[in-house]
């Protein structure tokens, strides 16, 4: 797709799905200048906000995706467009897609370097004969901070980060086949080597990269992705977006306010993160180098077969009904990267999926559940309570618990108040564990033990703790605990963070929707 195609298509999707997609531009929303002319009109930088906008967005985990910052690297923009189309068209048809948009908030800039993409040119032309690389334009590990935020592309990304609260992110590139993660800056290189030191969030960053690699398998049309830190897999970079997005919010010695002169300047307050936006830049961002060819052949892009795109979202309760595509023959650059976007979006929030059956004659309740958006289930159990029918709907009490605990997540004392009894504790594998998912099961004869059953209701929830291994470290540089919102929300029971109008919902405890019998 070219520049005009993408603008037209996302506007058409907005008119068709107004509750799920909002479309604007960096020029309209942030009052940024146009980077130049795109044909007969001034270039605009489109931004897509993708979620169920009828549901409050304050606590939804957020994911950011940049289609490109180098205009001649062409896979990313079309991939983001087709991802947007896929989730919108399947929202009412697929429970997992519906959950994705109901409970997460995705922000996408399909053509971050809009001018470069229109002209099929790597850099942004900021002045006649002055071409700048947006991916050297971020204030992290620079030697001259008058030479950052010079491009509209970088300013667009900065405005998004200081106005949102991203936990995970992708930035699409092209030229090799790499899934890269922090670190990639010279300050974090091991001396006399082409290797980086260990980032504080290395455990989470590496495990996610392995999952992304596994869902983007090699095919006859694509090469296998290489995994590793950006220093090892590509090369070290000053002013790169990925390290900036992760570290500029807490490694204060690595960043300063920018003082550019291009486009009549840019307020230094907007890059004074420690004072004005201390929580904005603690994001695990992945560099996705999509292909050795910056513009692959159309025959290598893959098919729109939904089986190939959605087979990740199998139902562990009904594995016999699963369908799979012929990855080797049907896959391609667009399809495999859409799958990675689906996975990263799902990971942003751990959720418990349940199924239950009731044997009223025998007085037996059987619950089954599994945990999506997670690798390991460190502990899980059922909590339940009994109440009189005329005590009111448990959903009302459940909503009160959510409201009271929303800023810092679930507290055990809140659960105990509504669901005072507990089953034995189990451990197992989350949905994205490389060894397969655990479907947990619990059988109780509680209904047989109750008197006056017709006047009683039993309420159940499933509780889980996930991914405690994200805290595993060897020699982190700097010597700190994990710093990303993503990891800390699962590791720290009191963790919370806020930026602009958004807050991190603590996921130390993950709780299912209630079941009432």
């Amino acid at each position: 797709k070219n520049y005009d195609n993408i603008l037209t298509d996302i506007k058409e999707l907005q008119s068709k799905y107004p509750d799920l997609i909002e479309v604007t531009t960096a020029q309209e929303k942030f009052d940024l200048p146009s980077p130049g002319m795109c044909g007969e009109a001034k270039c605009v930088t489109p931004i897509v906000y993708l979620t169920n906008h009828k549901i409050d967005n304050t606590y939804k985990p957020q994911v950011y995706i940049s289609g490109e910052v180098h205009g001649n690297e062409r896979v990313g923009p079309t991939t983001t467009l087709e991802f947007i189309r896929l989730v919108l068209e399947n929202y009412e048809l697929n429970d997992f897609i519906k959950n994705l948009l109901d409970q997460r908030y995705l922000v996408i800039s399909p053509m971050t370097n809009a001018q470069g993409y229109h002209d099929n040119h790597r850099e942004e032309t900021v002045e006649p004969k002055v071409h700048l690389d947006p991916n050297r334009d971020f204030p992290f590990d620079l030697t001259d901070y008058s030479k950052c935020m010079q491009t509209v592309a970088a300013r667009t990304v900065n405005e998004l980060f200081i106005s949102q609260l991203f936990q995970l992110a992708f930035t699409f590139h092209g030229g090799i086949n790499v899934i890269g993660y922090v670190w990639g800056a010279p300050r974090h290189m091991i001396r006399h080597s082409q290797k980086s030191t260990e980032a504080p969030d290395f455990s989470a960053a590496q495990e996610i990269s392995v999952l992304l690699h596994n869902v983007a398998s090699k095919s006859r049309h694509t090469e296998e992705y290489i995994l590793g830190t950006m220093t090892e897999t590509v090369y070290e970079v000053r002013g790169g977006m990925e390290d900036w997005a992760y570290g500029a919010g807490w490694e204060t010695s690595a960043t300063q306010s920018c003082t550019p002169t291009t486009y009549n300047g840019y307020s230094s307050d907007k890059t004074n993160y420690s004072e004005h936006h201390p929580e904005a830049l603690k994001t695990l961002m992945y560099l996705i180098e999509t292909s050795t060819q910056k513009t692959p052949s159309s025959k290598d892009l893959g098919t729109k077969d939904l089986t190939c795109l959605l087979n990740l979202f199998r139902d562990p309760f009904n594995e016999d009904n699963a369908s799979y595509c012929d990855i080797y023959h049907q896959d391609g650059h667009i399809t495999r990267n859409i799958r990675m976007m689906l996975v990263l979006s799902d990971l942003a929030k751990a959720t418990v999926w349940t199924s239950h059956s009731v044997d009223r004659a025998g007085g037996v309740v059987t619950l089954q559940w599994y945990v999506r958006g997670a690798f390991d289930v460190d502990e899980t159990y059922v909590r339940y309570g009994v109440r009189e029918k005329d005590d009111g709907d448990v959903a009302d009490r459940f909503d009160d618990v959510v409201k009271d605990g929303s800023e810092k997540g679930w507290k055990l004392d809140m659960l105990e108040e509504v669901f005072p009894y507990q089953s034995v504790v189990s451990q197992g594998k989350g949905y994205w564990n490389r060894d397969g998912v655990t479907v947990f099961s619990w059988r109780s004869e509680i209904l047989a033990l109750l008197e006056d059953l017709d006047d009683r209701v039993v309420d159940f929830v499933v509780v889980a703790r996930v991914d405690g291994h994200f805290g595993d470290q060897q020699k982190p540089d700097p010597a700190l605990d994990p710093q990303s919102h993503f990891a800390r929300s699962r590791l720290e029971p009191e963790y919370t963070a806020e930026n602009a109008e958004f807050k991190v919902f603590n996921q130390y405890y993950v709780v299912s929707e209630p079941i009432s019998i």
Side-chain angles (χ1 to χ4, degrees):
K1 295 283 187 174
N2 63 28
Y3 170 89
D4 293 317
N5 295 152
I6 291 175
L7 287 181
T8 299
D9 285 6
I10 59 176
K11 289 176 182 177
E12 289 179 354
L13 289 168
Q14 181 183 32
S15 65
K16 191 172 182 180
Y17 303 98
D19 294 333
L20 300 176
I21 176 175
E22 293 181 2
V23 178
T24 185
T25 67
Q27 289 68 36
E28 179 183 6
K29 188 170 183 67
F30 303 124
D31 198 28
L32 293 180
S34 169
M37 298 300 292
C38 289
E40 299 294 322
K42 288 185 176 181
C43 300
V44 295
T45 311
I47 300 168
V48 174
Y49 295 90
L50 199 61
T51 188
N52 183 345
H53 291 284
K54 291 184 185 179
I55 300 174
D56 182 70
N57 294 327
T58 304
Y59 293 99
K60 291 180 184 177
Q62 298 183 13
V63 177
Y64 170 64
I65 298 160
S66 167
E68 51 79 50
V69 291
H70 295 147
N72 62 337
E73 297 167 2
R74 312 293 286 183
V75 172
T78 301
T79 299
T80 58
L81 172 64
E82 293 306 322
F83 170 83
I84 294 166
R85 193 192 314 278
L86 173 77
V87 295
L88 292 176
E89 291 180 348
N90 288 276
Y91 176 81
E92 297 291 353
L93 305 175
N94 186 289
D95 288 342
F96 301 115
I97 296 295
K98 187 175 189 303
N99 175 269
L100 206 69
L101 294 188
D102 283 350
Q103 299 195 25
R104 295 155 191 83
Y105 192 8
L106 314 181
V107 181
I108 302 172
S109 52
M111 301 177 289
T112 312
N113 176 5
Q115 179 205 62
Y117 191 71
H118 178 274
D119 295 343
N120 196 17
H121 186 264
R122 175 184 173 88
E123 297 157 325
E124 180 177 310
T125 303
V126 298
E127 296 175 7
K129 299 183 179 181
V130 178
H131 312 289
L132 297 179
D133 186 338
N135 206 35
R136 307 293 185 272
D137 203 23
F138 293 87
F140 194 85
D141 198 18
L142 293 175
T143 57
D144 182 354
Y145 284 85
S146 69
K147 298 292 193 292
C148 55
M149 291 295 146
Q150 298 181 95
T151 62
V152 171
R155 293 181 193 182
T156 296
V157 177
N158 188 66
E159 293 287 346
L160 288 171
F161 271 77
I162 64 177
S163 63
Q164 301 286 145
L165 188 56
F166 299 120
Q167 295 194 30
L168 297 169
F170 271 167
T171 173
F172 283 112
H173 286 255
I176 50 176
N177 283 275
V178 160
I179 299 173
Y181 48 86
V182 290
W183 291 113
R187 69 185 285 118
H188 292 298
M189 287 183 69
I190 298 173
R191 292 185 65 185
H192 309 301
S193 77
Q194 192 60 37
K195 294 184 178 181
S196 74
T197 56
E198 174 189 337
D201 285 83
F202 179 81
S203 289
Q206 183 186 50
E207 181 155 32
I208 293 172
S209 75
V210 172
L211 170 61
L212 297 174
H213 168 273
N214 291 343
V215 302
S217 308
K218 180 180 179 180
S219 75
R220 67 182 296 180
H221 302 291
T222 60
E223 299 175 45
E224 185 174 9
Y225 274 126
I226 299 166
L227 305 181
T229 68
M230 289 172 289
T231 297
E232 296 165 358
T233 57
V234 188
Y235 42 75
E236 73 278 10
V237 167
R238 295 187 187 276
M241 185 200 300
E242 302 83 8
D243 281 9
W244 165 83
Y246 172 62
W250 52 271
E251 194 177 12
T252 55
S253 63
T255 186
Q256 296 178 30
S257 294
C258 298
T259 56
T261 58
T262 57
Y263 302 110
N264 297 315
Y266 186 62
S267 171
S268 61
D269 285 347
K270 294 192 174 186
T271 48
N272 185 347
Y273 305 118
S274 60
E275 184 173 343
H276 298 296
H277 314 285
E279 303 295 342
L281 294 157
K282 299 179 180 180
T283 306
L284 282 181
M285 176 177 277
Y286 289 86
L287 167 72
I288 309 298
E289 293 274 3
T290 58
S291 168
T292 53
Q293 295 179 309
K294 296 188 176 185
T295 307
S297 168
S298 60
K299 68 180 177 59
D300 295 327
L301 300 181
T303 72
K304 287 191 177 184
D305 185 339
L306 287 180
T307 307
C308 284
L309 292 168
L310 296 178
N311 70 327
L312 296 168
F313 291 88
R314 65 193 186 282
D315 182 356
F317 297 139
N318 298 287
E319 286 283 19
D320 291 342
N321 295 327
S323 59
Y324 299 90
C325 76
D326 182 353
I327 290 289
Y328 182 76
H329 291 95
Q330 292 181 268
D331 208 16
H333 295 292
I334 301 295
T335 46
R336 71 169 179 169
N337 287 299
I338 287 176
R339 288 202 304 277
M340 291 203 300
M341 293 171 70
L342 289 167
V343 168
L344 195 76
S345 301
D346 187 70
L347 279 172
K349 184 173 185 180
T351 53
V352 179
W353 291 67
T354 62
S355 176
H356 70 278
S357 61
V358 181
D359 175 5
R360 295 191 178 276
V364 175
V365 176
T366 301
L367 293 182
Q368 287 187 304
W369 70 94
Y370 63 95
V371 183
R372 293 188 64 87
F375 295 96
D376 291 346
V377 181
D378 302 321
E379 61 179 58
T380 186
Y381 48 86
V382 178
R383 292 203 69 92
Y384 55 100
V386 181
R387 61 183 168 87
E388 301 294 330
K389 278 188 176 179
D390 56 7
D391 281 349
D393 191 339
V394 71
D396 295 334
R397 301 171 69 192
F398 189 81
D399 287 343
D400 288 342
V401 173
V402 172
K403 187 184 301 179
D404 294 343
S406 57
E407 185 164 344
K408 293 187 178 179
W410 281 94
K411 301 290 186 181
L412 282 181
D413 58 351
M414 297 175 184
L415 291 169
E416 290 168 356
E417 180 183 344
V418 183
F419 312 97
Y421 308 109
Q422 180 180 313
S423 72
V424 297
V425 176
S426 301
Q427 295 177 317
K429 305 178 187 67
Y431 189 85
W432 297 115
N433 191 291
R434 70 185 73 180
D435 295 323
V437 60
T438 300
V439 177
F440 300 93
S441 185
W442 179 73
R443 183 178 183 275
S444 172
E445 297 179 352
I446 185 172
L447 299 184
L449 301 176
L450 292 177
E451 297 179 358
D452 302 322
L453 185 58
D454 290 342
D455 297 322
R456 304 281 186 93
V457 176
V458 187
D459 302 310
F460 303 86
V461 289
V462 176
V463 181
R465 283 197 55 207
V466 301
D467 295 334
H469 63 288
F470 285 172
D472 294 348
Q473 296 177 317
Q474 294 183 17
K475 294 181 179 179
D477 174 31
L480 299 170
D481 291 336
Q483 295 296 300
S484 70
H485 295 309
F486 175 73
R488 294 181 71 182
S489 69
R490 302 186 184 202
L491 294 173
E492 301 176 27
E494 300 293 330
Y495 185 70
T496 185
E498 181 175 352
N499 187 60
E501 63 195 75
F502 304 107
K503 300 179 181 180
V504 170
F505 185 84
N506 189 284
Q507 297 189 62
Y508 190 78
Y509 293 106
V510 183
V511 184
S512 73
E513 293 292 320
I515 300 167
S516 297
I517 298 171

